[in-house]
Amino acid sequence: MKFQKPKGTYDILPDDSAKRNFLYQKIRTVCNNFNYSEILTPAFEKTELFRRGIGETSDIVSKEMYSFNNDEFTLRPELTAGVIRAYLENNLYNISPVTKLFYIANMFRRERPQAGRFREFWQFGIELIGSNDVHSDAEVICLGVQLLNEFGLLNVTTKINSIGSPAERSKYLEILKEYLISYKSDLSEISLIRLEKNPLRILDTKDSRELEILSSAPVLYDYLSTDTKRRFEKLLAILDNLNVRFETDYRLVRGFDYYTDTAFEIHSGELGAQNSVLGGGRYNNLIEQFGGKPTPAIGFGLGIERLLIMIGKSNYKFSQKNNPDLYVGYTDETAQNFAFGIAIKLRISGLKVEIDFLNRSVKSQLKEANRLNVTFSIVIGENEINSGFVELKNMHDGKSLKIKLSPNEIYNFISKYENETSTTGNA
RNA sequence: GCGGGUAUAGCUCAGUUGGCAGAGCGUCAGAUUGUGGCUCUGAAAGUCACGGGUUCGAGCCCCGUUACUCGCCCCA
């Protein structure tokens, strides 16, 4: 019986984990510069938390959650709800009126897998809690844009909209519904269902005929209050000043119930049908809804797998692999004992060292050393043990020199060599 | 939940009108004793996804199942 991974999951193999760690490191650097602190919350929460936060009628809550223990708990399908729960439970608002958090975490949704969509997937996300200042909107968007810039991703589009308050939206929805009903016979089956369930989402359609109908449909933006519109225009001006490239998209909407005002997404042409790599927005009512004082907040989530796809299709080069410094070869069992001792000592002093476990021929051991792209190799046998000297071979240029067979000598030589080559910079 | 595509060696894939299961890469072993890369020689490695059917004969044709994959929906 051979086991298989669950549908929609994947194994992160050594090559992948190296790339991911590099990516995470870059994310942490950007977050550090913007002064966001990392937060980690449990992988599962009370089911009720997601029901209340994301919205009972959303697709996620109604059919995509992994719940267990009689529906008491659910594997997190997103992280904003959990972070806000932690924020309130640990009274983080008492430390400072503004809290800036980020996370890199896995989450779970029972969706049909396809390109760039998984049942277990990772998101990097940030939450800026405690300010409704329009500059905080700008900061959050800038952080996302900056991160993509770090990887030289140019084929992206940042789209921004304001979806106003729930009150402003419901007024508009009635009018939109009325308008669409007059075109009922031209609408697709799916859109007819949406018309009842969630008319706002019809704006997302890709059907050309429906796009035509929508081109003269009432626009949500026109139904927002003057205050909301002025706030939005102020945000656009700030982004303009910062030379952030964006497009306003009055048809951009969000899937979760908790969003208010600013909504934004970053799309990429490198992705398939799931072309959104980053999505976020303001949620000024969620914290109050979770029993806290009314507190404004804004954040986004970025799909790690989608980012990796984009980077993979660009010509971005991940930084060089971290190869072993030294391969310790040996000729026979007596020599192996000796060589093994040397290898361990050098590892303890801080070198990256590999040694064979299979008692293979010297030739095979060096082949392996070559495959690992080690910088230096030594081979220890009777001669070396008796003489106390060993040939230290530079595997890159093939040159070798005799050196005392002692961990100290070897360590000093190799670390000196690496300091010299790293300061002169390598091609 | 609904569609399309695919399934052959560790990986990427050929396999003709149905006639002995293949290549490249990788792995392993050799090419003067204890020294890698290049080259050469050789080897191991397969329930042709699974189960039925047609046929003298099926990797290939037919039916079913499963898995993967790309879309719809939804989202990151």
Side-chain angles (χ1 to χ4, degrees):
Chain A
M1 165 98 186
K2 245 185 171 177
F3 290 107
Q4 271 182 310
K5 60 187 173 292
K7 187 195 286 292
T9 64
Y10 53 86
D11 299 312
I12 301 173
L13 301 174
D15 277 356
D16 308 321
S17 66
K19 282 185 182 170
R20 275 176 184 252
N21 284 333
F22 180 77
L23 199 147
Y24 293 168
Q25 209 180 335
K26 207 123 201 181
I27 289 173
R28 292 196 165 100
T29 303
V30 172
C31 284
N32 189 53
N33 292 345
F34 279 74
N35 198 32
Y36 284 68
S37 309
E38 188 159 8
I39 185 169
L40 292 168
T41 64
F44 61 94
E45 299 271 1
K46 283 274 174 63
T47 303
E48 190 58 21
L49 181 80
F50 302 120
R51 289 223 176 96
R52 295 266 296 276
I54 302 168
E56 201 82 52
T57 59
S58 68
D59 276 37
I60 290 182
V61 170
S62 61
K63 60 184 188 198
E64 294 173 359
M65 298 209 299
Y66 284 104
S67 300
F68 56 97
N69 202 30
N70 225 356
D71 213 24
E72 184 183 5
F73 299 112
T74 294
L75 294 177
R76 58 186 172 205
E78 57 99 48
L79 225 76
T80 299
V83 167
I84 295 305
R85 192 228 78 230
Y87 168 84
L88 290 171
E89 187 169 346
N90 298 286
N91 307 319
L92 296 187
Y93 45 85
N94 280 340
I95 298 170
S96 162
V98 174
T99 307
K100 306 205 295 185
L101 303 169
F102 80 92
Y103 56 82
I104 300 170
N106 55 344
M107 41 211 77
F108 309 85
R109 291 180 200 169
R110 197 193 182 84
E111 294 180 285
R112 201 63 187 271
Q114 75 191 58
R117 191 170 73 191
F118 302 91
R119 288 186 166 184
E120 180 186 10
F121 61 101
W122 289 70
Q123 269 189 23
F124 154 60
I126 69 171
E127 312 291 350
L128 191 166
I129 307 162
S131 172
N132 195 37
D133 187 285
V134 71
H135 289 89
S136 66
D137 298 48
E139 172 169 306
V140 166
I141 293 169
C142 279
L143 194 158
V145 169
Q146 175 53 27
L147 182 68
L148 297 178
N149 282 345
E150 290 278 330
F151 292 102
L153 298 169
L154 301 172
N155 192 8
V156 296
T157 317
T158 306
K159 297 192 168 183
I160 310 184
N161 192 19
S162 177
I163 58 171
S165 65
E168 288 166 317
R169 272 201 304 274
S170 66
K171 210 191 309 169
Y172 165 73
L173 284 180
E174 278 173 34
I175 291 155
L176 176 68
K177 227 167 151 177
E178 225 168 89
Y179 171 84
L180 288 172
I181 283 171
S182 62
Y183 290 93
K184 207 167 178 176
S185 54
D186 289 325
L187 293 178
S188 68
E189 219 174 294
I190 295 152
S191 289
L192 285 173
I193 296 167
R194 279 174 168 181
L195 191 59
E196 292 309 316
K197 223 176 87 182
N198 194 351
L200 211 51
R201 294 231 56 113
I202 297 181
L203 301 179
D204 260 354
T205 189
K206 287 155 194 160
D207 185 294
S208 59
R209 197 200 218 150
E210 292 184 1
L211 281 171
E212 208 176 301
I213 295 170
L214 285 169
S215 66
S216 47
V219 173
L220 169 61
Y221 193 73
D222 296 331
Y223 292 83
L224 301 179
S225 68
T226 357
D227 280 356
T228 305
K229 282 197 234 179
R230 269 173 54 196
R231 186 179 189 285
F232 185 61
E233 273 151 26
K234 206 170 159 191
L235 170 61
L236 301 188
I238 293 169
L239 292 174
D240 256 334
N241 270 332
L242 293 167
N243 292 319
V244 173
R245 288 170 48 201
F246 65 87
E247 292 173 11
T248 51
D249 181 353
Y250 295 119
R251 293 217 304 269
L252 177 67
V253 290
R254 303 263 75 211
F256 304 160
D257 284 359
Y258 53 64
Y259 284 111
T260 55
D261 293 311
T262 309
F264 57 96
E265 271 181 25
I266 299 183
H267 294 228
S268 165
E270 310 296 345
L271 299 170
Q274 316 304 322
N275 67 351
S276 160
V277 65
L278 181 153
R282 183 162 277 289
Y283 48 97
N284 285 351
N285 301 324
L286 180 66
I287 293 165
E288 187 178 5
Q289 205 183 309
F290 277 0
K293 286 184 301 188
T295 308
I298 181 166
F300 69 69
L302 173 147
I304 294 292
E305 293 77 13
R306 292 184 186 177
L307 181 58
L308 282 166
I309 292 171
M310 288 164 64
I311 293 172
K313 288 189 179 171
S314 75
N315 38 26
Y316 185 84
K317 294 269 181 294
F318 284 95
S319 76
Q320 75 286 356
K321 263 171 76 182
N322 125 51
N323 304 317
D325 302 307
L326 177 70
Y327 192 93
V328 179
Y330 57 85
T331 57
D332 55 40
E333 211 181 309
T334 326
Q336 185 190 10
N337 284 330
F338 192 92
F340 186 68
I342 298 265
I344 295 285
K345 277 178 194 149
L346 286 170
R347 285 168 173 170
I348 291 168
S349 14
L351 290 185
K352 179 161 174 163
V353 178
E354 187 55 292
I355 184 167
D356 177 67
F357 284 129
L358 301 174
N359 291 288
R360 289 191 283 184
S361 66
V362 170
K363 189 193 185 91
S364 296
Q365 293 179 51
L366 283 162
K367 260 188 168 165
E368 176 72 5
N370 190 60
R371 202 181 60 78
L372 294 171
N373 193 23
V374 302
T375 314
F376 289 100
S377 70
I378 56 175
V379 175
I380 296 172
E382 206 178 342
N383 298 343
E384 285 74 17
I385 296 172
N386 290 339
S387 73
F389 284 89
V390 67
E391 293 259 328
L392 180 70
K393 184 169 186 177
N394 182 323
M395 296 292 277
H396 294 150
D397 61 20
K399 289 177 188 160
S400 62
L401 77 154
K402 241 184 183 130
I403 184 172
K404 242 178 106 181
L405 180 51
S406 89
N408 270 346
E409 289 285 316
I410 297 170
Y411 175 80
N412 288 339
F413 186 90
I414 294 181
S415 53
K416 194 177 153 209
Y417 174 89
E418 297 202 329
N419 275 336
E420 280 166 10
T421 50
S422 68
T423 49
T424 53
N426 42 4

